[in-house]
Amino acid sequence: MSHFGRSGPPDISDTYSLLVLNITFRTTADDLFPLFDKYGKVVDIFIPRDRRTGDSRGFAFVRYKYADEAQKAVDRLDGRVVDGREITVQFAKYGPNAERIHKGRIIEPVPRSRHKSRSRSPRRRYRDDNRDRDHRRKSHSRSLDRYDRDRYRGRDKDNRRRSRSRSASPDYSRGRGRGRYDDERRSSSRSVDSASPVRRSPSPRSSSPRKNSPSKGESPDRRSRDGRSPTPRSASPRGRPAASRSRSASPRNSDVDE
DNA sequence: GTTGAGCGTT
């Protein structure tokens, strides 16, 4: 039954894609299939899900075989209450590969790579560029914050787990407002390394051990951690059982340096 | 268990 999107796109040569928005997060393709299939021949239904959690994003793509049926579905299902939520059905504007779509039908079958990768930005993974464009045109969106926050949350957790009281990571200084570096950062890191040696060169005062004594009594490194738990009590240094940390043979070397 | 503008995958 739920074989939609399992084997990838079947054939979008002569199909009309409809974008269904405002659907519940629990609505699946199977729930939309009978609804849309009633008004026409549904070729495929795909609901984008999150890579991390796997939850639906709240919109789906319904591909019809004929435009008239798609149009009818849009006219009939647009504004229909599904699962207690009013859905919005409209023709898809863009294709899976960012192709132009007219009335749900793909005008350009395939973006001919005239110049390979020139007009396109292979840097972006998904639709960051698209989102950015809309984002700028419109206003701030909470959903974006949510996605970003969630994404960072997962990484942050791991990051924190790995090095809790280790030296402050440079990521924080880079500006976590928009930190999504994967390979770009890596290849760029090399250029930056030789391009701006100033950043890399350590402070000559490093020799003086007294530099660690905060006269002002301010430690931005710890406080600007996340704003979530400014209290170091979270670590529970007291309530943490010794067995929690598997000390092998060097409890002093491998343990926290704090 | 939460959220809510938008354009997509084996």
Side-chain angles (χ1 to χ4, degrees), chain A residues 80-143:
Chain A
R80 185 61 64 88
V81 179
V82 177
D83 200 27
R85 208 78 168 183
E86 190 177 273
I87 64 173
T88 301
V89 183
Q90 56 189 233
F91 283 96
K93 208 160 144 201
Y94 305 99
N97 288 334
E99 310 102 333
R100 279 184 190 173
I101 292 186
H102 178 63
K103 294 292 189 190
R105 185 172 71 173
I106 300 178
I107 299 178
E108 298 178 68
V110 60
R112 292 179 188 175
S113 34
R114 286 176 179 171
H115 300 283
K116 271 243 161 131
S117 48
R118 264 270 180 149
S119 48
R120 198 72 80 86
S121 300
R123 282 203 174 87
R124 307 299 177 128
R125 282 239 166 148
Y126 300 119
R127 51 200 192 199
D128 289 355
D129 50 342
N130 291 353
R131 279 291 188 102
D132 222 22
R133 268 199 301 142
D134 281 346
H135 194 252
R136 235 164 246 174
R137 203 166 58 196
K138 278 202 127 182
S139 263
H140 289 276
S141 291
R142 287 192 298 255
S143 37

Coordinates of all heavy atoms in Angstrom, one line a residue, chain A residues 80-143:
Chain A
R80 N -9.9 21.5 1.6 CA -10.6 20.4 2.3 C -9.9 20.1 3.6 O -8.7 20.2 3.7 CB -10.6 19.2 1.4 CG -11.3 18.1 1.9 CD -12.8 18.4 2.1 NE -13.5 18.7 0.8 CZ -14.0 17.8 0.1 NH1 -14.1 16.5 0.5 NH2 -14.6 18.0 -1.0
V81 N -10.7 19.8 4.5 CA -10.2 19.5 5.9 C -9.8 18.0 5.9 O -10.6 17.1 5.7 CB -11.2 19.8 6.9 CG1 -10.7 19.4 8.3 CG2 -11.7 21.3 6.9
V82 N -8.5 17.8 6.2 CA -8.0 16.5 6.3 C -7.4 16.2 7.6 O -6.5 17.0 8.0 CB -6.9 16.2 5.1 CG1 -6.4 14.8 5.3 CG2 -7.6 16.4 3.8
D83 N -7.9 15.3 8.3 CA -7.3 15.0 9.6 C -7.5 16.2 10.5 O -6.7 16.4 11.4 CB -5.9 14.6 9.5 CG -5.4 13.8 10.8 OD1 -6.3 13.2 11.4 OD2 -4.2 13.8 11.1
G84 N -8.5 16.9 10.3 CA -8.7 18.1 11.2 C -7.9 19.3 10.8 O -8.0 20.3 11.5
R85 N -7.3 19.2 9.6 CA -6.5 20.4 9.2 C -6.9 20.7 7.8 O -7.0 19.9 6.9 CB -5.0 20.1 9.3 CG -4.2 21.3 9.5 CD -4.3 21.7 10.9 NE -3.3 22.7 11.2 CZ -3.1 23.2 12.4 NH1 -3.8 22.7 13.4 NH2 -2.2 24.1 12.6
E86 N -7.0 22.0 7.5 CA -7.3 22.4 6.1 C -6.1 22.3 5.2 O -5.1 23.1 5.5 CB -7.9 23.8 6.1 CG -8.5 24.2 4.8 CD -9.1 25.5 4.9 OE1 -10.3 25.6 5.2 OE2 -8.4 26.5 4.6
I87 N -6.1 21.5 4.3 CA -4.9 21.4 3.4 C -5.0 22.3 2.2 O -6.1 22.8 1.9 CB -4.8 19.9 2.9 CG1 -6.0 19.6 2.0 CG2 -4.7 18.9 4.0 CD1 -5.9 18.3 1.3
T88 N -3.9 22.6 1.7 CA -3.8 23.5 0.5 C -3.3 22.7 -0.7 O -2.1 22.3 -0.6 CB -3.0 24.7 0.9 OG1 -3.5 25.3 2.0 CG2 -2.9 25.6 -0.3
V89 N -4.0 22.6 -1.7 CA -3.6 21.9 -2.9 C -3.3 22.9 -4.0 O -4.2 23.6 -4.4 CB -4.6 20.8 -3.3 CG1 -4.1 20.0 -4.5 CG2 -4.9 19.9 -2.1
Q90 N -2.2 22.8 -4.6 CA -1.9 23.7 -5.7 C -0.8 23.0 -6.6 O -0.2 22.1 -6.2 CB -1.3 25.0 -5.2 CG -0.2 24.8 -4.3 CD 0.2 26.1 -3.6 OE1 1.4 26.5 -3.7 NE2 -0.7 26.7 -2.9
F91 N -0.7 23.5 -7.8 CA 0.3 22.9 -8.7 C 1.7 23.2 -8.2 O 2.0 24.2 -7.7 CB 0.1 23.5 -10.1 CG -1.1 22.9 -10.8 CD1 -2.3 23.5 -10.8 CD2 -1.0 21.7 -11.4 CE1 -3.4 23.0 -11.4 CE2 -2.1 21.1 -12.1 CZ -3.3 21.8 -12.1
A92 N 2.5 22.2 -8.4 CA 3.9 22.3 -8.0 C 4.6 23.4 -8.8 O 4.3 23.5 -10.0 CB 4.6 21.0 -8.1
K93 N 5.4 24.1 -8.2 CA 6.1 25.1 -8.9 C 7.5 24.7 -9.4 O 8.0 25.0 -10.4 CB 6.3 26.3 -8.0 CG 6.4 27.6 -8.7 CD 6.0 28.8 -7.8 CE 6.9 30.0 -8.1 NZ 6.9 30.9 -7.0
Y94 N 8.1 23.9 -8.5 CA 9.5 23.4 -8.9 C 9.5 21.9 -8.9 O 8.7 21.3 -8.2 CB 10.5 23.9 -7.9 CG 10.5 25.4 -7.8 CD1 9.8 26.1 -6.8 CD2 11.1 26.2 -8.8 CE1 9.8 27.4 -6.7 CE2 11.0 27.6 -8.7 CZ 10.4 28.2 -7.6 OH 10.4 29.5 -7.5
G95 N 10.4 21.4 -9.6 CA 10.5 19.9 -9.7 C 11.5 19.4 -8.7 O 12.1 20.2 -7.9
P96 N 11.7 18.1 -8.6 CA 12.6 17.5 -7.7 C 14.1 18.0 -7.9 O 14.9 18.0 -7.0 CB 12.5 16.0 -8.0 CG 11.5 15.8 -9.1 CD 11.1 17.2 -9.5
N97 N 14.4 18.3 -9.1 CA 15.7 18.8 -9.4 C 15.7 20.3 -9.7 O 16.5 20.8 -10.5 CB 16.3 18.0 -10.7 CG 16.6 16.6 -10.3 OD1 16.9 16.3 -9.1 ND2 16.5 15.7 -11.2
A98 N 14.7 20.9 -9.2 CA 14.6 22.4 -9.4 C 14.2 22.7 -10.8 O 14.5 23.8 -11.3 CB 15.9 23.0 -9.0
E99 N 13.6 21.8 -11.5 CA 13.2 22.1 -12.8 C 11.9 23.0 -12.8 O 11.2 23.0 -11.8 CB 12.8 20.8 -13.6 CG 13.9 19.8 -13.5 CD 13.5 18.7 -12.4 OE1 12.7 19.1 -11.5 OE2 14.0 17.6 -12.6
R100 N 11.8 23.7 -13.8 CA 10.6 24.5 -13.9 C 9.3 23.7 -14.2 O 9.3 22.9 -15.1 CB 10.8 25.6 -15.0 CG 11.7 26.7 -14.4 CD 11.9 27.8 -15.4 NE 12.9 28.7 -15.0 CZ 13.3 29.6 -15.8 NH1 12.8 29.7 -17.0 NH2 14.2 30.5 -15.4
I101 N 8.3 24.0 -13.5 CA 7.1 23.3 -13.7 C 6.0 24.3 -14.0 O 5.8 25.3 -13.3 CB 6.8 22.5 -12.4 CG1 7.8 21.4 -12.2 CG2 5.4 21.9 -12.6 CD1 7.4 20.4 -11.1
H102 N 5.3 23.9 -15.0 CA 4.1 24.8 -15.4 C 2.8 23.9 -15.3 O 2.7 22.9 -15.9 CB 4.3 25.2 -16.9 CG 3.1 26.0 -17.3 ND1 2.8 27.2 -16.8 CD2 2.2 25.8 -18.3 CE1 1.7 27.7 -17.4 NE2 1.3 26.8 -18.3
K103 N 2.0 24.4 -14.4 CA 0.7 23.7 -14.1 C 1.0 22.3 -13.6 O 0.3 21.4 -14.0 CB -0.1 23.7 -15.4 CG -0.5 25.0 -15.8 CD -1.6 25.6 -14.8 CE -2.2 26.8 -15.4 NZ -3.0 27.5 -14.4
G104 N 2.1 22.1 -12.9 CA 2.4 20.8 -12.4 C 3.2 20.0 -13.4 O 3.7 18.9 -13.0
R105 N 3.2 20.4 -14.6 CA 4.0 19.6 -15.6 C 5.3 20.2 -15.8 O 5.5 21.4 -15.8 CB 3.3 19.6 -16.9 CG 4.0 18.7 -17.9 CD 3.2 18.5 -19.1 NE 3.2 19.7 -19.9 CZ 2.7 19.7 -21.1 NH1 2.1 18.7 -21.7 NH2 2.7 20.8 -21.8
I106 N 6.3 19.4 -15.8 CA 7.7 19.8 -16.0 C 7.9 20.3 -17.4 O 7.8 19.6 -18.4 CB 8.7 18.7 -15.7 CG1 8.4 18.2 -14.2 CG2 10.1 19.2 -15.9 CD1 9.3 17.1 -13.8
I107 N 8.2 21.6 -17.5 CA 8.5 22.1 -18.9 C 9.8 21.5 -19.4 O 9.9 21.0 -20.5 CB 8.6 23.6 -18.8 CG1 7.2 24.2 -18.3 CG2 8.9 24.2 -20.2 CD1 7.2 25.7 -18.1
E108 N 10.8 21.7 -18.6 CA 12.1 21.2 -19.0 C 12.3 19.8 -18.4 O 12.4 19.6 -17.2 CB 13.2 22.1 -18.5 CG 13.0 23.5 -19.1 CD 14.1 24.4 -18.5 OE1 15.2 24.2 -18.8 OE2 13.7 25.3 -17.8
P109 N 12.4 18.8 -19.3 CA 12.5 17.4 -18.9 C 13.7 17.2 -18.0 O 13.7 16.6 -17.0 CB 12.6 16.6 -20.2 CG 12.9 17.6 -21.3 CD 12.4 18.9 -20.8
V110 N 14.8 17.8 -18.4 CA 16.0 17.7 -17.6 C 16.9 18.9 -17.9 O 17.1 19.3 -19.0 CB 16.8 16.4 -18.0 CG1 17.2 16.4 -19.5 CG2 18.0 16.3 -17.1
P111 N 17.4 19.5 -16.8 CA 18.2 20.7 -17.0 C 19.5 20.3 -17.7 O 20.5 19.8 -17.2 CB 18.5 21.1 -15.6 CG 18.2 19.9 -14.7 CD 17.2 19.1 -15.4
R112 N 19.5 20.6 -19.0 CA 20.7 20.2 -19.8 C 22.0 20.9 -19.2 O 22.0 22.1 -19.1 CB 20.5 20.7 -21.2 CG 19.5 19.8 -21.9 CD 19.3 20.3 -23.3 NE 18.1 19.6 -23.8 CZ 17.7 20.0 -25.0 NH1 18.3 20.9 -25.7 NH2 16.7 19.4 -25.5
S113 N 22.9 20.1 -18.9 CA 24.1 20.7 -18.3 C 25.0 21.3 -19.4 O 25.9 20.7 -19.9 CB 24.9 19.6 -17.6 OG 24.8 18.4 -18.3
R114 N 24.5 22.5 -19.8 CA 25.3 23.1 -20.9 C 26.7 23.4 -20.5 O 27.6 23.1 -21.2 CB 24.6 24.5 -21.2 CG 23.3 24.2 -21.9 CD 22.6 25.6 -22.2 NE 21.4 25.3 -22.9 CZ 20.5 26.3 -23.1 NH1 20.7 27.5 -22.5 NH2 19.5 26.1 -23.7
H115 N 26.8 23.8 -19.3 CA 28.2 24.1 -18.8 C 28.4 23.4 -17.5 O 29.0 23.9 -16.6 CB 28.3 25.6 -18.5 CG 28.1 26.4 -19.8 ND1 29.1 26.5 -20.8 CD2 27.0 27.1 -20.2 CE1 28.6 27.3 -21.8 NE2 27.4 27.7 -21.5
K116 N 28.0 22.2 -17.5 CA 28.2 21.3 -16.3 C 27.7 22.1 -15.1 O 26.5 22.3 -15.0 CB 29.7 21.1 -16.2 CG 30.1 19.9 -16.9 CD 30.6 18.9 -16.2 CE 30.6 17.6 -16.9 NZ 31.9 17.0 -16.8
S117 N 28.5 22.5 -14.3 CA 28.1 23.1 -13.0 C 28.5 24.6 -13.1 O 29.6 25.0 -12.7 CB 28.7 22.5 -11.8 OG 30.1 22.3 -12.1
R118 N 27.6 25.4 -13.6 CA 28.0 26.8 -13.7 C 26.8 27.6 -13.2 O 26.9 28.4 -12.3 CB 28.3 27.2 -15.1 CG 29.7 27.1 -15.3 CD 30.4 28.4 -15.0 NE 31.8 28.2 -15.2 CZ 32.6 29.1 -15.6 NH1 32.2 30.3 -15.7 NH2 33.8 28.9 -15.8
S119 N 25.7 27.4 -13.8 CA 24.5 28.1 -13.4 C 23.9 27.6 -12.1 O 23.1 28.2 -11.5 CB 23.4 28.0 -14.5 OG 23.3 26.7 -14.9
R120 N 24.4 26.4 -11.8 CA 23.8 25.8 -10.6 C 24.8 25.9 -9.4 O 26.0 26.1 -9.6 CB 23.6 24.3 -10.8 CG 22.6 23.8 -9.8 CD 21.2 24.3 -10.1 NE 20.5 23.6 -11.1 CZ 19.9 22.4 -10.9 NH1 19.8 22.0 -9.7 NH2 19.3 21.8 -11.8
S121 N 24.3 25.9 -8.2 CA 25.2 26.0 -7.1 C 25.3 24.6 -6.4 O 24.4 24.3 -5.6 CB 24.6 27.0 -6.1 OG 24.6 28.2 -6.8
P122 N 26.2 23.8 -6.7 CA 26.4 22.5 -6.2 C 26.8 22.5 -4.7 O 26.8 21.5 -4.0 CB 27.5 21.9 -7.0 CG 28.3 23.0 -7.6 CD 27.3 24.2 -7.6
R123 N 27.1 23.7 -4.3 CA 27.5 23.8 -2.9 C 26.4 23.4 -1.9 O 26.5 22.7 -1.0 CB 28.0 25.2 -2.6 CG 29.3 25.5 -3.2 CD 30.0 26.6 -2.5 NE 31.4 26.7 -2.9 CZ 31.7 27.4 -4.0 NH1 30.8 28.0 -4.7 NH2 32.9 27.5 -4.3
R124 N 25.3 24.1 -2.2 CA 24.1 23.8 -1.4 C 23.7 22.4 -1.5 O 23.6 21.8 -2.5 CB 23.0 24.7 -1.8 CG 23.5 26.2 -1.8 CD 23.9 26.6 -0.4 NE 24.5 27.9 -0.6 CZ 24.1 28.9 0.2 NH1 23.2 28.7 1.2 NH2 24.6 30.1 0.1
R125 N 23.3 21.9 -0.4 CA 22.9 20.4 -0.4 C 21.4 20.3 -0.9 O 21.1 19.7 -1.8 CB 22.9 19.9 1.0 CG 24.4 19.6 1.3 CD 24.5 18.2 1.7 NE 25.9 17.9 1.7 CZ 26.4 17.0 2.5 NH1 25.6 16.4 3.3 NH2 27.6 16.6 2.4
Y126 N 20.6 20.9 -0.1 CA 19.1 20.7 -0.5 C 18.6 22.0 -1.1 O 18.9 22.4 -2.1 CB 18.4 20.3 0.8 CG 18.9 19.1 1.3 CD1 19.5 19.0 2.6 CD2 18.9 17.9 0.6 CE1 20.0 17.8 3.1 CE2 19.4 16.7 1.0 CZ 20.0 16.7 2.3 OH 20.5 15.6 2.8
R127 N 17.7 22.6 -0.4 CA 17.1 23.9 -1.0 C 17.4 25.0 -0.1 O 16.6 25.8 0.3 CB 15.6 23.7 -1.0 CG 15.2 23.3 0.3 CD 14.0 22.7 0.4 NE 14.0 22.8 1.9 CZ 13.5 22.2 2.7 NH1 12.7 21.4 2.4 NH2 13.5 22.4 3.9
D128 N 18.6 25.1 0.4 CA 19.0 26.2 1.2 C 18.9 27.5 0.4 O 18.5 28.5 0.9 CB 20.4 26.0 1.7 CG 20.4 24.9 2.7 OD1 19.3 24.4 3.0 OD2 21.5 24.5 3.2
D129 N 19.4 27.4 -0.8 CA 19.3 28.6 -1.6 C 17.9 29.1 -1.8 O 17.6 30.2 -1.7 CB 20.0 28.3 -2.9 CG 19.4 27.1 -3.6 OD1 18.8 26.3 -2.8 OD2 19.6 26.9 -4.8
N130 N 17.1 28.1 -2.1 CA 15.7 28.5 -2.3 C 15.1 29.1 -1.1 O 14.4 30.1 -1.1 CB 14.9 27.3 -2.7 CG 15.3 26.8 -4.1 OD1 16.1 27.5 -4.8 ND2 14.8 25.7 -4.5
R131 N 15.4 28.4 0.0 CA 14.8 28.9 1.3 C 15.3 30.3 1.6 O 14.6 31.2 2.0 CB 15.2 28.0 2.4 CG 14.4 26.8 2.5 CD 13.0 27.1 2.9 NE 12.2 25.9 3.1 CZ 12.0 25.5 4.3 NH1 12.5 26.1 5.3 NH2 11.4 24.4 4.5
D132 N 16.6 30.5 1.3 CA 17.2 31.8 1.6 C 16.5 32.8 0.8 O 16.2 33.9 1.3 CB 18.6 31.7 1.2 CG 19.4 32.4 2.3 OD1 18.9 32.5 3.4 OD2 20.6 32.8 2.0
R133 N 16.2 32.5 -0.5 CA 15.6 33.5 -1.3 C 14.2 33.9 -0.7 O 13.9 35.1 -0.6 CB 15.4 33.0 -2.7 CG 16.6 33.4 -3.5 CD 16.3 33.2 -5.0 NE 15.9 31.9 -5.2 CZ 14.9 31.6 -6.1 NH1 14.4 32.5 -6.7 NH2 14.6 30.4 -6.2
D134 N 13.5 32.9 -0.5 CA 12.1 33.2 0.1 C 12.2 33.9 1.4 O 11.5 34.7 1.8 CB 11.3 31.9 0.2 CG 10.8 31.6 -1.2 OD1 10.9 32.4 -2.1 OD2 10.4 30.4 -1.4
H135 N 13.2 33.4 2.1 CA 13.3 33.9 3.5 C 13.6 35.4 3.4 O 13.1 36.2 4.2 CB 14.5 33.2 4.1 CG 14.5 33.4 5.6 ND1 15.5 34.2 6.2 CD2 13.7 33.0 6.6 CE1 15.2 34.3 7.5 NE2 14.2 33.5 7.8
R136 N 14.4 35.8 2.5 CA 14.7 37.2 2.5 C 13.5 38.0 2.0 O 13.3 39.1 2.4 CB 15.9 37.4 1.5 CG 17.0 38.1 2.2 CD 18.2 37.9 1.4 NE 19.2 37.2 2.1 CZ 20.3 36.8 1.5 NH1 20.6 37.1 0.3 NH2 21.2 36.1 2.2
R137 N 12.8 37.4 1.0 CA 11.7 38.2 0.5 C 10.6 38.4 1.5 O 10.0 39.4 1.6 CB 11.2 37.4 -0.7 CG 10.4 38.3 -1.6 CD 10.2 37.7 -2.9 NE 9.5 36.5 -2.7 CZ 9.4 35.5 -3.6 NH1 10.0 35.7 -4.8 NH2 8.7 34.5 -3.4
K138 N 10.4 37.4 2.3 CA 9.4 37.4 3.2 C 9.9 38.0 4.6 O 10.6 38.9 4.6 CB 8.8 36.0 3.4 CG 7.8 35.7 2.3 CD 6.9 34.6 2.8 CE 5.5 35.1 2.6 NZ 4.6 34.1 3.1
S139 N 9.5 37.3 5.6 CA 9.9 37.7 6.9 C 10.5 36.6 7.6 O 10.7 35.5 7.1 CB 8.7 38.3 7.7 OG 8.7 39.6 7.5
H140 N 10.8 36.8 8.9 CA 11.4 35.8 9.7 C 10.4 34.6 9.9 O 9.2 34.9 10.0 CB 11.8 36.3 11.0 CG 13.0 37.2 10.9 ND1 14.3 36.7 10.9 CD2 13.1 38.5 10.7 CE1 15.1 37.7 10.7 NE2 14.4 38.8 10.7
S141 N 10.9 33.5 9.9 CA 10.1 32.3 10.1 C 10.5 31.5 11.2 O 11.7 31.2 11.4 CB 10.1 31.4 8.8 OG 9.5 32.2 7.8
R142 N 9.6 31.2 12.0 CA 10.0 30.4 13.2 C 10.3 28.9 12.8 O 11.1 28.3 13.4 CB 8.8 30.3 14.2 CG 8.7 31.7 14.8 CD 7.7 31.5 16.0 NE 6.4 31.1 15.4 CZ 5.4 31.9 15.3 NH1 5.5 33.1 15.8 NH2 4.3 31.6 14.9
S143 N 9.7 28.5 11.8 CA 9.9 27.1 11.4 C 11.4 26.9 11.1 O 12.0 26.0 11.4 CB 9.1 26.8 10.1 OG 9.0 27.9 9.3

